[in-house]
Amino acid sequence: MSTASIPKQPAPYQKDTGTVYNILFIIGLCHLLNDSIQSVIPAMFPILEKSMGLTFTQLGLIGFALNMVSSVMQPVVGLYTDKRPMPYALPIGLTCSMLGVLGLAFAPSFLTILLSVVFIGLGSAVFHPEGSRVAYMAAGKRRGLAQSIYQVGGNSGQALAPIITALILVPLGQFGAIWFTIVAALAVAFLIYIANWYSSKLNYIKPTTKSKPKAQMKNQSFSKAIRNALLIIIFLIFARSWYVSAISNFYTFYAIEKYDLTIAGSQVYIFCFLLMGAVGTFFGGPLADKFGKRNVIIVSLLATAPLTLLLPFVGSTISLIVLALIGLILMSSFSVTVVYAQELVPGKIGTMSGLTVGLAFGMGAIGSVALGAMIDFIGLTPTMIGVALLPLIGILAFLLPTDRKLYEWQQEK
């Protein structure tokens, strides 16, 4: 459904309604740098599996440690900064990630690797809700586009993982992660600039007024519908995150086993999937601005399902094309889900961003452990066939309130 007829709503963090593109592009670049640091960890899985003899379950636990710390802390950070914005938490968080990368390069054991990725997870937990808030503040009237610019940076950073493996980690091994301390330092420098802009914009925040008792009673009538919508969003994020986790963490092993590829050769498949996912993330926002967020979410999952069911049964060349299409379509709803949640619960920008993005990380974390254990127990091929069913959960998106309904709720509150 087109949302062109829905009046635009003022952003609470802006003096005017103009879109600040230079801030959007810088925060998108910082998102790329932050997530490229995170991408070092799954990119190292094949290296660690050989050099340390780790099991798939242990590799899953490493992914769990990274993503679970990030997912648990993101909504906490978002909830706190909704009340007390902290512009300079952004460079501080990336400094924490830089220390984690440094530890990762020198980690001598499985436990020290876990400790290092916890530091990286903490840095990510601070960055994501505050970065999303910056994108919201700079969005003006183009919220879908702004969130897409921000999120495509992160997806592009994740897409670098196969390149990192092929060009850096395969020849240099675990110590090659040391190069990403430079990436982290660059991100810190950019985020100091962003923090200065963010701090200046806080002067324009309008003070919130307390709701009148009558309004509070009226708002209670929406609580059940909002809870139900959030529950549906959680199921949709689960389906998308587990499938992405299966491909990004374990498809390289599947490609090596099925197509008799080298580690470097198998990374082409993951790179293609993640790169097209970044493209889908970018176009999802503008499409949602034009056709509606709910419609994009529905198409994103259900149009992916036939392709995911086909993937385990095609040859090496066709699988590359199918993976590209899956990434393009499936990830088109990533930024859209964030904006949908922000408009479902207006005034809680950091909390909703932390919840949706953090939940995606958390679901991916649980998925990495569960899928790793499944592979150890039943094998790669049955696991890949099983996860192909996940996008079918997208049928639940038909139960989400329409974009117009969201707007009507906001007007009635």
Side-chain angles (χ1 to χ4, degrees):
M1 169 184 125
S2 173
T3 57
S5 61
I6 298 177
K8 303 296 182 181
Q9 306 147 45
Y13 290 103
Q14 295 172 212
K15 184 180 180 180
D16 54 54
T17 57
T19 303
V20 190
Y21 285 102
N22 66 317
I23 293 297
L24 287 176
F25 288 129
I26 293 173
I27 196 64
L29 176 60
C30 290
H31 200 181
L32 183 151
L33 297 174
N34 177 82
D35 282 25
S36 68
I37 293 169
Q38 283 188 264
S39 73
V40 172
I41 295 166
M44 289 182 68
F45 280 4
I47 308 297
L48 296 174
E49 190 261 345
K50 284 195 171 183
S51 64
M52 290 189 172
L54 301 183
T55 66
F56 284 109
T57 302
Q58 286 176 311
L59 294 176
L61 285 171
I62 292 172
F64 179 86
L66 171 70
N67 294 326
M68 186 54 71
V69 170
S70 176
S71 68
V72 168
M73 293 302 297
Q74 276 194 51
V76 175
V77 172
L79 184 63
Y80 182 83
T81 55
D82 276 336
K83 299 177 181 178
R84 299 180 181 179
M86 298 176 62
Y88 291 93
L90 284 164
I92 292 171
L94 259 291
T95 301
C96 183
S97 294
M98 183 168 61
L99 294 175
V101 172
L102 188 64
L104 188 64
F106 294 98
S109 67
F110 174 66
L111 290 178
T112 49
I113 288 173
L114 285 179
L115 181 61
S116 297
V117 300
V118 164
F119 272 88
I120 296 173
L122 286 172
S124 179
V126 173
F127 175 81
H128 280 97
E130 284 299 89
S132 186
R133 189 193 309 278
V134 168
Y136 189 94
M137 291 167 68
K141 296 178 180 179
R142 310 194 68 182
R143 294 185 189 173
L145 175 64
Q147 196 63 223
S148 284
I149 292 173
Y150 169 67
Q151 294 294 350
V152 78
N155 288 81
S156 299
Q158 293 167 19
L160 291 174
I163 303 300
I164 291 167
T165 301
L167 299 182
I168 299 176
L169 298 179
V170 169
L172 299 179
Q174 181 181 341
F175 182 73
I178 194 74
W179 287 99
F180 287 86
T181 57
I182 300 173
V183 174
L186 184 62
V188 169
F190 280 123
L191 287 173
I192 290 172
Y193 174 83
I194 289 287
N196 288 333
W197 177 85
Y198 181 175
S199 182
S200 70
K201 298 300 284 186
L202 291 179
N203 295 327
Y204 302 135
I205 296 179
K206 297 178 182 180
T208 56
T209 56
K210 293 184 178 180
S211 300
K212 296 179 181 179
K214 198 171 185 180
Q216 290 176 346
M217 291 177 63
K218 200 171 186 181
N219 286 343
Q220 290 174 2
S221 64
F222 300 106
S223 59
K224 184 176 180 180
I226 290 173
R227 282 198 304 268
N228 290 340
L230 285 174
L231 187 62
I232 293 168
I233 289 172
I234 288 172
F235 277 105
L236 300 179
I237 291 174
F238 157 76
R240 186 181 62 220
S241 298
W242 271 49
Y243 190 82
V244 172
S245 179
I247 299 299
S248 59
N249 288 335
F250 300 113
Y251 192 82
T252 181
F253 298 103
Y254 180 78
I256 290 170
E257 179 182 289
K258 183 172 182 180
Y259 306 129
D260 195 27
L261 300 173
T262 63
I263 291 177
S266 69
Q267 297 304 306
V268 174
Y269 291 79
I270 312 304
F271 174 71
C272 191
F273 171 76
L274 295 175
L275 178 64
M276 295 306 292
V279 174
T281 298
F282 177 77
F283 284 106
L287 287 172
D289 287 337
K290 183 174 179 62
F291 298 107
K293 292 174 284 294
R294 176 177 174 268
N295 291 340
V296 170
I297 292 170
I298 291 170
V299 172
S300 168
L301 285 158
L302 291 185
T304 305
L307 297 170
T308 61
L309 293 169
L310 178 66
L311 181 63
F313 305 103
V314 296
S316 59
T317 303
I318 299 299
S319 66
L320 196 60
I321 299 171
V322 173
L323 270 176
L325 291 173
I326 291 172
L328 178 69
I329 300 170
L330 183 63
M331 296 306 292
S332 65
S333 65
F334 190 91
S335 61
V336 178
T337 306
V338 178
V339 177
Y340 186 94
Q342 289 173 344
E343 295 190 1
L344 183 65
V345 188
K348 298 291 184 182
I349 305 305
T351 304
M352 288 300 101
S353 172
L355 178 64
T356 51
V357 180
L359 190 62
F361 277 104
M363 291 293 186
I366 295 170
S368 66
V369 176
L371 293 169
M374 283 178 64
I375 292 170
D376 284 335
F377 184 67
I378 65 174
L380 272 168
T381 300
T383 300
M384 288 299 166
I385 293 173
V387 298
L389 300 171
L390 287 171
L392 292 172
I393 295 176
I395 197 169
L396 293 175
F398 282 105
L399 301 176
L400 287 173
T402 64
D403 292 53
R404 178 166 290 280
K405 178 62 70 175
L406 289 185
Y407 177 72
E408 290 173 356
W409 286 356
Q410 291 174 21
Q411 298 308 299
E412 292 178 28
K413 286 184 179 182

